[in-house]
Structures are given as structure tokens and as C-alpha cells.
């Protein structure tokens, strides 16, 4: 697939125009694009469109600087192995461009390189850089909020959590379902609530049911860095209800025949969010209240949604990859006891959440 890049620099003293949500550039893009994202607040914005017929991707990058800017596609978020393009406009108005996964990296400088000087190469960008996992392809057309207007709903969210300036943080928080439904209800859709300013931090999260036999103090529900509260939340880690990662849809609607059952005589009262924050730039003083919202249907549907989880636990005993191997396949098997309750007609899979972090299939 071919990749085309349109670079633009923008200055703060320009006419304000209508812009997309989360976009800070005051300059209108050259063309209409299918997708856009703010890479760095008030500094860098990216637009792109995937053309499957021409097998090409057109990017447009806006960066608030008067020097050079760069955009690349990286296999792991760094410069090694990345395909990078660098562009700038010199003092005479001449345009220069040098070409050097789905992880987009970008950088910029404060001055243009002087290619006439012996030492006029592009200077090091210091901390004027960033990377972000972006799904360049979108395979579904999610519904809009207005479709669920008027429905009852509830949500689970982080409570102004101050994300540590560590590269990786797993934070666990237990919730009690906020509404006590006397009869069974069906959740028919959910919406992922990621703080707009923290799209670069929230890598993925899971929402799990807590074992019905577990009791908690409702006035002091467990929360904290997952490794620190592992004993308190160990009964809330296995039965995953929802999984979301970068690239997933923000709104998911269940099929019209089925819903996620809550309330009534069901014993599930507590849930836990395990939130993975990815902070490669070691940003500090970032406050997050991301989470999830469920929409409750007005009528019960014919079927309750079920879940099946299979794979390999990420422990040294279960998943050990030998060093210096180019290819390593991990096999996992489901014993007959897992599928013994399946109907003879089989099951219908309506959602899937494959997840192997940065690499794997």
C-alpha cells in the first residue's frame, strides 16, 4: 500500500475556522478526510483517508512550529525500522522533503535545517516528538449517541486518577452497580468513555464481573495499582464482560436478538475495571476519568449474551518465549469441559477481542 503525506505548518495568528472534535489546528485541511486525531494537544494534528481501491493512504499533518516536521510509520513506536518523511520550507519559500504497523510517530524542530552548511543536517528534536497507536483502517460503522437517547444508562469511570509518570501502569478499580434493578434488564449497547486529552495514555482496559461470593465494604471499594491490590481484587479478574483497546469502536451495539443481562435475581453486583495506561513520554500531572457507559433496553431480548475466554496467561510459567527466535508459536487448547454446555446447533459469535499488545497474531 502506498502512503502519501501532506505537511503543513501553522501559526497561532490565523483566522479561526470550524474544526473537527479534538483538533487544535486553525488551518483548514487541503482535502476532506475520513479520520482525524490530535496527536499532541495544541501542537500536532493528523488527518488521513484509506483508499482501498488505489491501495494508498493520504495523510495531512499540521504542527505548530516554524521549523521542520516529520511523520513516520513505526513497527514499535520508535525510530528504528520506521519509514519517516521530513519536510520544511526554507527562508526563500522553497519546499524540501526527505523520505527516510500502525504506530504513528512524529517530531518537529524549531528552525529549518540549513542544507548549505556542512553541519546543516536536521538537529535532534529533543522532547519535541511523540508516538501514538492509531487504527488506520476502520472496519465498522458504529451507531451514534442519538440512537440511544431516552434510554436508562449507568457508567463506571475512574475518579480523577492521577496517572503516574511511568511508562506502563495497570490500575484496578472495583465498582458496585449503581442501579438496583428489581427485575432482569438487558444492556443493549455500551459506550467507551475515554477522556479526549488522554487518548494517548489509555492503551486498553477490561471490565470484569466479580465472583458473586465476594463481599466488599461499599464505603471503601478496592482500587489502586493492580500489583498492589491483587489480593483484594483476585475474584474480579477472570470473567471479562468488555474489552477495549486502541483501535476499538467507541460505541458498540449488541445484536437485536440478545443483550447483556443485569439486575433481578442475577447475583453479579460488583465489577472491576483494569485500565492500562501507556505513557512512553513519561508525562506527569495527567488526570484521567475514563470508563464505560451501558445503555439499558426498554424490553428484554430473546437471548442473554454469554462469554468465552481462551488463550495463554502472561506469566513466566505459561508464556515463555525463548531469546533470539524469529518466530515462536504459542498453542492453547480448550478441553471438552469448556464446550460441554454448548447446544448441538452451535453458538453465534457476535463480538471478539483479540489482544496481543504490540506484536502477535
Amino acid at each position: 500500500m502506498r502512503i502519501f503525506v501532506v505537511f503543513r505548518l501553522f501559526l497561532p495568528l490565523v483566522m479561526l475556522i470550524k474544526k473537527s472534535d479534538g483538533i487544535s489546528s486553525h488551518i483548514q485541511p487541503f482535502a476532506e478526510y475520513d479520520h482525524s486525531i490530535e496527536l499532541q494537544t495544541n501542537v500536532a494534528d493528523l488527518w488521513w483517508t484509506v483508499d482501498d481501491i488505489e491501495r494508498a493512504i493520504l495523510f495531512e499533518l499540521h504542527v505548530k512550529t516554524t521549523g521542520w516536521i516529520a511523520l513516520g510509520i513505526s513497527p514499535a513506536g520508535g525510530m528504528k525500522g520506521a519509514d519517516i518523511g521530513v519536510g520544511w520550507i526554507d527562508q526563500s519559500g522553497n519546499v524540501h522533503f526527505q523520505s527516510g504497523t500502525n504506530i504513528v510517530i512524529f517530531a518537529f524542530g524549531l528552525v529549518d535545517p540549513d542544507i548549505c552548511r556542512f553541519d546543516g543536517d536536521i538537529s535532534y528534536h529533543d522532547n519535541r516528538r511523540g508516538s501514538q497507536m492509531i487504527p488506520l483502517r476502520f472496519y465498522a460503522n458504529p451507531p451514534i449517541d442519538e440512537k440511544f437517547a431516552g434510554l436508562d444508562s449507568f457508567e463506571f469511570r475512574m475518579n480523577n486518577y492521577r496517572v503516574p509518570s511511568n511508562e506502563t501502569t495497570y490500575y484496578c478499580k472495583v465498582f458496585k452497580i449503581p442501579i438496583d434493578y428489581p427485575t432482569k434488564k438487558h444492556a443493549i449497547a455500551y459506550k467507551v468513555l475515554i477522556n479526549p486529552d488522554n487518548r494517548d495514555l489509555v492503551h486498553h482496559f477490561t471490565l470484569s464481573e466479580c465472583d458473586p461470593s465476594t463481599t466488599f465494604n461499599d464505603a471503601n471499594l478496592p482500587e489502586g495499582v493492580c500489583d498492589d491490590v491483587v489480593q483484594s481484587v483476585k475474584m474480579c479478574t477472570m470473567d471479562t464482560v468488555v474489552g477495549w483497546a486502541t483501535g476499538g469502536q467507541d460505541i458498540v451495539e449488541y445484536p437485536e436478538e440478545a443483550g447483556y443481562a443485569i439486575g433481578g435475581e442475577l447475583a453479579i453486583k460488583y465489577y472491576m475495571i483494569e485500565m492500562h495506561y501507556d505513557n512512553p513520554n513519561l508525562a506527569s500531572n495527567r488526570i484521567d476519568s475514563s470508563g464505560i457507559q451501558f445503555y439499558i433496553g426498554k424490553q428484554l431480548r430473546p437471548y442473554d449474551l454469554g462469554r468465552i475466554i481462551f488463550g495463554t496467561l502472561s506469566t513466566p510459567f505459561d508464556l515463555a518465549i525463548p531469546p533470539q527466535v524469529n518466530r515462536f508459536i504459542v498453542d492453547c487448547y480448550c478441553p471438552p469441559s469448556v464446550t460441554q454446555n454448548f447446544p448441538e446447533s452451535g453458538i453465534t459469535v457476535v463480538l471478539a477481542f483479540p489482544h496481543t499488545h504490540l506484536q502477535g497474531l
Side-chain angles (χ1 to χ4, degrees), residues 41-282:
T41 304
N42 295 322
V43 174
D45 301 308
L46 182 68
W47 291 259
W48 74 96
T49 293
V50 179
D51 189 330
D52 288 312
I53 297 177
E54 296 293 333
R55 295 185 57 80
I57 304 177
L58 177 64
F59 290 96
E60 181 165 338
L61 174 67
H62 292 195
V63 179
K64 188 176 183 179
T65 185
T66 56
W68 59 269
I69 62 177
L71 180 70
I73 304 296
S74 166
M79 295 182 65
K80 183 178 180 180
D83 187 6
I84 302 172
V86 182
W88 71 94
I89 302 174
D90 63 26
Q91 298 299 318
S92 300
N94 299 313
V95 177
H96 300 265
F97 180 80
Q98 295 180 359
S99 179
T101 190
N102 286 355
I103 301 181
V104 170
I105 61 175
F106 67 97
F108 59 95
L110 301 180
V111 296
D112 292 331
D114 186 353
I115 58 177
C116 296
R117 291 171 53 92
F118 174 75
D119 58 350
D121 200 359
I122 295 173
S123 59
Y124 183 59
H125 45 61
D126 295 315
N127 63 349
R128 294 181 293 274
R129 67 190 189 277
S131 66
Q132 192 162 151
M133 290 185 178
I134 298 176
L136 299 179
R137 288 179 178 270
F138 288 79
Y139 293 99
N141 295 312
I144 59 177
D145 277 337
E146 286 73 11
K147 183 173 183 178
F148 309 108
L151 293 181
D152 193 10
S153 67
F154 65 88
E155 62 184 41
F156 303 127
R157 303 187 73 150
M158 298 289 112
N159 184 20
N160 293 322
Y161 174 57
R162 187 179 298 275
V163 181
S165 55
N166 302 325
E167 185 172 355
T168 296
T169 300
Y170 283 86
Y171 194 82
C172 292
K173 182 175 175 63
V174 173
F175 302 85
K176 184 177 182 180
I177 190 167
I179 303 176
D180 187 12
Y181 294 105
T183 59
K184 187 174 83 169
K185 301 286 186 179
H186 271 151
I188 63 171
Y190 64 83
K191 179 181 180 181
V192 175
L193 307 171
I194 306 298
N195 288 165
D197 291 341
N198 293 334
R199 285 274 177 180
D200 60 325
L201 287 181
V202 179
H203 178 276
H204 78 270
F205 73 83
T206 57
L207 175 73
S208 302
E209 295 176 349
C210 297
D211 189 285
S213 64
T214 303
T215 58
F216 293 110
N217 177 1
D218 290 353
N220 188 26
L221 293 173
E223 68 173 295
V225 174
C226 296
D227 286 345
D228 296 339
V229 297
V230 62
Q231 291 301 317
S232 301
V233 302
K234 62 182 179 181
M235 301 301 289
C236 303
T237 59
M238 296 304 296
D239 202 353
T240 301
V241 178
V242 171
W244 179 90
T246 300
Q249 295 175 209
D250 284 353
I251 301 180
V252 173
E253 183 178 15
Y254 296 134
E256 61 183 13
E257 301 87 356
Y260 173 61
I262 59 171
E265 297 180 355
L266 297 172
I268 304 299
K269 304 298 181 185
Y270 296 95
Y271 295 81
M272 186 186 77
I273 285 182
E274 180 184 274
M275 189 78 72
H276 175 196
Y277 295 102
D278 183 45
N279 188 7
N281 297 320
L282 308 182

Side-chain angles (χ1 to χ4, degrees), residues 253-359:
E253 183 178 15
Y254 296 134
E256 61 183 13
E257 301 87 356
Y260 173 61
I262 59 171
E265 297 180 355
L266 297 172
I268 304 299
K269 304 298 181 185
Y270 296 95
Y271 295 81
M272 186 186 77
I273 285 182
E274 180 184 274
M275 189 78 72
H276 175 196
Y277 295 102
D278 183 45
N279 188 7
N281 297 320
L282 308 182
S284 59
N285 297 320
R286 299 283 292 274
I287 307 299
D288 186 62
S289 295
S290 298
I292 188 170
Q293 179 180 22
F294 284 95
Y295 296 101
I296 310 303
K298 295 181 179 180
Q299 297 178 339
L300 285 178
R301 294 180 167 185
Y303 301 103
D304 293 344
L305 286 170
R307 298 171 301 283
I308 181 171
I309 301 173
F310 53 89
T312 302
L313 296 176
S314 56
T315 70
F317 302 101
D318 298 294
L319 183 60
I321 301 176
Q324 299 179 355
V325 294
N326 294 324
R327 180 179 174 86
F328 186 74
I329 298 175
V330 177
D331 294 317
C332 60
Y333 302 91
C334 289
S337 59
V338 174
T339 58
Q340 64 182 357
N341 294 324
F342 283 7
E344 292 185 1
S345 58
I347 63 173
T348 300
V349 178
V350 297
L351 292 170
F353 180 60
H355 188 63
T356 54
H357 284 262
L358 297 180
Q359 298 184 20

